[in-house]
Amino acid sequence: MKTIHLLGASFIALVVSVPACAQADPRAPVTAAGTQGRGVSTDAGSSDDIIVTASKREQTLQDVPISVSVTSAQTIERAQIRDLIDLQTVVPSLKVAQFNAVGQTNFIIRGFGNGNGNFGIEGSVGVFIDGVYRSRSAASLNDLPEIERIEVLRGPQSTLFGKNVSAGAISIITKRPQFDFGGRVDLTVGNYGQMIAKATATGPLSKTVAVRLSGTINERDGFYQNVVTRQDVNNRDRGSLRADVLWQPSSDLSVRVIGDYNEITERCCGTVQLLNGPATQFLASPAPFGLYATVSNPATKFDRNIAFNQDPTNHIVGKGVSGQVDYDTSFAKFTSISAYRDQLDSGAQDVDFTGADLSNRVDRTRIKTFTQEFRIASTGKGPFTWLVGAFYDHENLDTRSTINFGSQIRAFADALSGASAAVPGHSNLFALEYLQSLVNPNIHPGSTYFAAGQAVTAPYTLKQDSYSIFGQADYKVTDRLTLTGGVSYLNDRKASTSNVVLTDAFSRLNLQNVSELATLAAIGVPGIKANSFGALGALQFFYGNAPTHGPVNYPNANESGVLKGDKVTYLGRAAYDFGFLNAYVSYSTGWKAGAFNLSTDARAPDANGIGRTADPENVTLYEAGLKAAFHGGFFNLAVFKQDIKGFQSNAYTGTGYSLVNAGKESVRGFEADAAYKPIPWFAVTGSVTYLDPKYDSFLRAPCVNYDTVRCPLNPLTGQRPLFRDLSGVRPAGISKWSFSTSATLSHSLTTDISAFLRGEYDYASKVQLTETTPPELNTYGLNNVNASLGFTSASAKVDVLLWVRNLTENNTLIGAFPTVAQDGSYSGYVNDPRTYGVTLTKRF
């Protein structure tokens, strides 16, 4: 990070030195949408229409018959939306989760989305930056230069976007290079030691070439405090550089090339305890009855104090280059977008989440991605318009995770195994080793099992090739009625290899038939059976309930390690223009390819149906909408029913991920959003989402310890059933009601200085956040208030913004999971505390 900080500081100094003058150019400035003289409205009631490209061609927000939310550059600045996680505060149907790692972010639209924490599962919501698909994202907007707008498209988008858009798409559009000199420098300081420096400069290199250079430095102390190491956790330490070159030799041809580099080095991510079960309580108990380790107190979880014996770390280096060519002919516009990205993620974490040295995890993932898209869109003025295109994605992924036992794991396992009656004064674990050692000299009582350094190491490779061919056509039957049809063919092939190694000797035991115990029983040792210690199966943290008691790597005689799939998806829509009101009805389908479980808990297929892969997802959407524009504002409404067959459930169970397909999940609901500016100095906005989801069929939801009815503990094995039936149950994590609103007062203080005051409120009704944690521990909603006060000097081109997020210090939980290797304990993630600061902007 020192290198990027030095480069960033040098770049910011360069931008400051750019003259605040403008050179005349015969061309009008080029907007982000690639047109001349048209922009994006930032205020309700503005005379300008909001231009969007959700349909891959320019339309006004009110004319495009798609459920889409648009967040303008002005809203992003005034609301201090710093990343895609913050974006959900102004788009209620969008939920964004970032839990255990910075580089893995899960996007959910209308309750659908998955993939967080498991690199083998692709998201159901595609993220596109300037038209380039991002297969992995750290969700940062601060790394980008000036943003034109962000479009959130709801529902399947396969007939316009190439990949992984079965639930929706997020399209981020940045401002293009300009043929007039210009730029800006932003400096933000805030509490928790926050400092963000951003700079962008643009201007011509010649009459046909323009460039934009941008850089950021983003630093902040952490929101959590590790009471063991005395370090803050969940800090910010990020930097980025970006070069954007536009060549426009004529009005018909433009070529845009973007190169970027970003680096993240952070202590992330912290978790708090929601419940300390008996195992965790033992860790905190003083000797000789415990390990006297520091553990988090669930009663004070919102103090954000954590207890890890080592700080979690994340290091991400991402870089890429993309090129977009647009060429207009008399009948069509040709577009080509090529991109290559290379991302390296590495990290380490104390996965027992306590001050005891039980277990630690190290991860490293390298992802190389190449994408290519071609589109041809008609430009005629007749009643028939069309668009056809193709998309190709090639990705190579290498990932490795290692979970090592620490120095105190043996004492912990001894305590959990209980006192032995056969060997007084020792644990059942020691007694097992002692009895085995009578037959097997390789077994050493007190040191064979749960030795420090024993581990499970899970290296995987994943090579993916996918392509799609898509098309969409509109036909104006009358001046008011338009019919739309779309179709896409998607093809996906994934080839994976595994080389998992388990050196945890205890997990490899078949406790129901220990060979040494069988030998002792055969020679008549009283009270000994081959399964005398079967109940210790609860201590087999890895593969204990697998028939092989260890990994089965692939490819092998039964598994090729290859997943293939293809699908044709459709779109049909009718839109009618009533003048003051536009209405539409639509039917569409979506598809997401099958997935590999690239976690330490992936299993070979067995009779119970557990596998290391999941089948594809198939989505069906019925939707009807109204869009009304009136003097001073607009109102949009969408009513929908969305079904997903084969939902790829990716629940974290405490040691790994349980990847299984749900039979069917559905959601019914509606979305409404509106803006109104009744008078020039006052504007209000509001959005509401209602969702009524259900598991129509889910026979293989992973079992959990708190559901003793469907998941009873077997005292002979110490294990629970693998599955429980959640059919008919409401899925976790989907609030019934989500609501956001804002109000902005604007006033000219003098002929030169203007000001605004903005307030926001974001609400989500209470919901059980995850199905693997008891509802009484993780049922939370959201009540969040943000505010900002800004001043602008037109002559000096200076803005001053004072802002605060989570003004009322609303404390809530955003995620939960079973604590690793501590049955009956649960951990979770809390929201950000109140943050505030001031941003100074100088424009040139």
Side-chain angles (χ1 to χ4, degrees):
M1 290 299 291
K2 289 183 179 179
T3 301
I4 200 167
H5 284 185
L6 179 60
L7 291 172
S10 302
F11 173 74
I12 291 170
L14 173 64
V15 172
V16 172
S17 67
V18 171
C21 61
Q23 290 188 354
D25 187 86
R27 284 179 295 275
V30 180
T31 69
T35 61
Q36 297 181 349
R38 303 182 72 180
V40 177
S41 170
T42 55
D43 291 320
S46 171
S47 59
D48 294 331
D49 290 324
I50 300 176
I51 304 300
V52 298
T53 52
S55 60
K56 293 296 180 77
R57 61 174 76 240
E58 288 188 348
Q59 290 180 279
T60 68
L61 177 62
Q62 296 309 110
D63 288 338
V64 62
I66 299 174
S67 182
V68 55
S69 292
V70 179
T71 304
S72 68
Q74 186 182 77
T75 298
I76 292 169
E77 293 178 11
R78 289 185 171 185
Q80 276 294 292
I81 296 175
R82 300 155 297 188
D83 51 36
L84 290 176
I85 298 175
D86 293 337
L87 185 64
Q88 61 188 321
T89 63
V90 293
V91 184
S93 59
L94 172 69
K95 299 302 175 187
V96 186
Q98 177 186 294
F99 296 142
N100 62 310
V102 174
Q104 297 197 49
T105 305
N106 191 26
F107 303 98
I108 299 171
I109 292 180
R110 294 176 173 173
F112 292 125
N114 49 19
N116 185 68
N118 194 334
F119 279 108
I121 305 174
E122 299 170 290
S124 303
V125 178
V127 177
F128 300 81
I129 300 179
D130 292 322
V132 175
Y133 173 65
R134 294 290 186 97
S135 64
R136 306 293 188 275
S137 174
S140 177
L141 298 182
N142 279 321
D143 295 339
L144 299 175
E146 290 190 89
I147 294 175
E148 185 77 30
R149 67 187 180 276
I150 300 175
E151 302 175 8
V152 178
L153 290 70
R154 310 178 184 103
Q157 304 295 327
S158 297
T159 59
L160 288 174
F161 293 85
K163 183 175 176 59
N164 293 342
V165 288
S166 59
I170 301 172
S171 179
I172 302 171
I173 298 96
T174 66
K175 289 187 177 179
R176 292 158 64 100
Q178 304 291 306
F179 285 94
D180 290 327
F181 279 113
R184 60 182 286 174
V185 176
D186 298 80
L187 178 63
T188 297
V189 293
N191 62 334
Y192 291 95
Q194 183 178 67
M195 191 282 290
I196 303 174
K198 300 177 60 175
T200 182
T202 185
L205 297 181
S206 70
K207 289 185 177 181
T208 60
V209 178
V211 64
R212 180 184 293 275
L213 302 176
S214 308
T216 67
I217 297 172
N218 183 353
E219 296 180 342
R220 192 204 64 218
D221 296 334
F223 295 144
Y224 293 78
Q225 179 71 26
N226 188 345
V227 299
V228 177
T229 65
R230 302 299 177 184
Q231 290 281 351
D232 57 285
V233 176
N234 279 40
N235 66 324
R236 284 285 183 268
D237 188 359
R238 304 181 175 188
S240 68
L241 295 171
R242 194 175 197 254
D244 188 347
V245 180
L246 175 67
W247 177 49
Q248 190 169 319
S250 69
S251 59
D252 297 328
L253 175 64
S254 69
V255 179
R256 187 184 185 190
V257 178
I258 302 172
D260 68 273
Y261 176 88
N262 60 83
E263 186 173 354
I264 298 174
T265 304
E266 297 176 354
R267 293 184 297 275
C268 186
C269 298
T271 64
V272 298
Q273 285 301 108
L274 306 180
L275 177 66
N276 289 336
T280 308
Q281 293 173 27
F282 162 77
L283 294 175
S285 300
F289 304 104
L291 299 183
Y292 206 39
T294 305
V295 300
S296 299
N297 182 1
T300 59
K301 55 182 173 288
F302 292 116
D303 290 344
R304 297 173 176 82
N305 289 325
I306 63 176
F308 296 173
N309 67 285
Q310 71 172 38
D311 294 313
T313 60
N314 274 193
H315 184 213
I316 299 175
V317 176
K319 51 192 173 184
V321 61
S322 66
Q324 177 170 338
V325 179
D326 292 290
Y327 180 65
D328 286 319
T329 69
S330 59
F331 73 97
K333 179 179 181 179
F334 294 82
T335 299
S336 170
I337 303 176
S338 309
Y340 174 78
R341 299 207 61 80
D342 186 340
Q343 182 167 311
L344 177 63
D345 292 16
S346 58
Q349 192 172 39
D350 172 15
V351 290
D352 58 84
F353 307 118
T354 71
D357 184 19
L358 300 183
S359 186
N360 303 294
R361 175 172 176 153
V362 178
D363 296 278
R364 187 183 187 278
T365 301
R366 181 78 176 269
I367 308 166
K368 298 179 180 180
T369 307
F370 170 78
T371 58
Q372 174 65 58
E373 180 178 3
F374 292 107
R375 293 197 309 268
I376 306 175
S378 64
T379 56
K381 301 295 184 180
F384 181 73
T385 58
W386 50 267
L387 180 151
V388 294
F391 177 84
Y392 173 71
D393 174 270
H394 173 78
E395 185 168 275
N396 281 328
L397 182 149
D398 288 274
T399 185
R400 172 188 293 264
S401 63
T402 300
I403 300 178
N404 288 289
F405 285 155
S407 61
Q408 294 180 292
I409 187 68
R410 176 57 195 239
F412 179 62
D414 276 329
L416 293 184
S417 71
S420 171
V423 185
H426 291 279
S427 68
N428 277 311
L429 181 61
F430 181 92
L432 171 61
E433 288 173 320
Y434 172 76
L435 292 171
Q436 287 182 281
S437 70
L438 299 178
V439 178
N440 185 351
N442 294 318
I443 303 294
H444 304 286
S447 61
T448 294
Y449 301 133
F450 295 99
Q454 290 182 352
V456 57
T457 300
Y460 292 96
T461 68
L462 180 64
K463 180 180 179 180
Q464 177 179 194
D465 287 281
S466 61
Y467 67 89
S468 64
I469 303 170
F470 54 88
Q472 187 167 302
D474 297 326
Y475 181 70
K476 298 192 72 170
V477 180
T478 69
D479 288 342
R480 295 184 179 272
L481 176 63
T482 301
L483 300 181
T484 300
V487 62
S488 64
Y489 171 75
L490 301 98
N491 186 290
D492 187 272
R493 182 185 187 276
K494 296 182 175 74
S496 178
T497 66
S498 73
N499 190 26
V500 182
V501 177
L502 179 66
T503 59
D504 168 16
F506 189 74
S507 287
R508 297 194 68 94
L509 274 180
N510 180 0
L511 290 173
Q512 299 307 309
N513 187 19
V514 179
S515 60
E516 292 88 355
L517 299 184
T519 300
L520 293 176
I523 63 176
V525 177
I528 298 298
K529 298 180 180 178
N531 65 345
S532 293
F533 293 87
L536 296 184
L539 297 179
Q540 293 185 309
F541 301 130
F542 307 105
Y543 301 97
N545 57 1
T548 58
H549 294 279
V552 177
N553 287 304
Y554 62 86
N556 55 50
N558 299 314
E559 299 174 278
S560 67
V562 175
L563 285 180
K564 295 180 181 179
D566 63 345
K567 185 72 174 182
V568 176
T569 65
Y570 306 92
L571 165 69
R573 183 168 57 227
Y576 195 84
D577 182 0
F578 290 94
F580 70 96
L581 181 73
N582 291 344
Y584 69 89
V585 293
S586 68
Y587 168 81
S588 59
T589 63
W591 183 77
K592 191 179 78 168
F596 278 95
N597 186 1
L598 305 185
S599 81
T600 56
D601 205 35
R603 310 290 183 90
D606 59 35
N608 292 311
I610 283 187
R612 56 182 107 239
T613 63
D615 293 332
E617 294 180 348
N618 291 277
V619 181
T620 302
L621 171 66
Y622 301 88
E623 182 173 305
L626 299 174
K627 296 194 172 190
F630 48 86
H631 180 69
F634 65 84
F635 173 79
N636 298 329
L637 173 68
V639 181
F640 56 86
K641 182 180 185 299
Q642 191 164 325
D643 300 328
I644 180 168
K645 293 183 178 180
F647 173 71
Q648 294 170 358
S649 174
N650 181 45
Y652 185 70
T653 57
T655 55
Y657 291 90
S658 176
L659 177 61
V660 292
N661 289 102
K664 181 182 178 183
E665 180 182 348
S666 62
V667 61
R668 299 176 298 174
F670 68 84
E671 300 151 340
D673 62 281
Y676 186 46
K677 193 174 186 179
I679 49 181
W681 51 268
F682 179 65
V684 293
T685 67
S687 300
V688 62
T689 298
Y690 170 80
L691 298 174
D692 181 21
K694 181 177 67 173
Y695 283 129
D696 302 86
S697 175
F698 195 3
L699 303 178
R700 292 184 178 144
C703 249
V704 292
N705 67 348
Y706 70 86
D707 190 347
T708 57
V709 175
R710 286 175 287 196
C711 304
L713 182 69
N714 185 337
L716 298 179
T717 65
Q719 303 284 353
R720 295 182 178 86
L722 296 172
F723 304 117
R724 59 178 179 150
D725 184 1
L726 291 185
S727 301
V729 174
R730 181 186 181 92
I734 306 175
S735 293
K736 179 178 287 188
W737 292 98
S738 300
F739 173 76
S740 67
T741 185
S742 72
T744 304
L745 298 170
S746 303
H747 184 65
S748 295
L749 302 179
T750 69
T751 56
D752 180 57
I753 298 176
S754 60
F756 76 89
L757 176 65
R758 176 186 174 92
E760 304 169 4
Y761 176 63
D762 184 32
Y763 167 83
S765 58
K766 291 184 177 180
V767 65
Q768 182 181 355
L769 298 175
T770 176
E771 288 133 9
T772 59
T773 304
E776 63 270 17
L777 295 180
N778 77 129
T779 297
Y780 281 83
L782 181 65
N783 286 278
N784 193 51
V785 177
N786 304 320
S788 55
L789 173 65
F791 301 90
T792 297
S793 170
S795 61
K797 297 184 179 179
V798 171
D799 301 336
V800 179
L801 176 68
L802 295 91
W803 54 268
V804 58
R805 295 188 65 85
N806 195 4
L807 174 65
T808 60
E809 290 192 280
N810 173 55
N811 289 320
T812 189
L813 211 64
I814 60 174
F817 59 93
T819 309
V820 177
Q822 296 162 65
D823 197 42
S825 297
Y826 298 92
S827 304
Y829 303 90
V830 299
N831 66 325
D832 291 352
R834 178 168 58 200
T835 56
Y836 53 85
V838 58
T839 300
L840 176 66
T841 300
K842 170 62 178 175
R843 305 176 191 272
F844 301 95

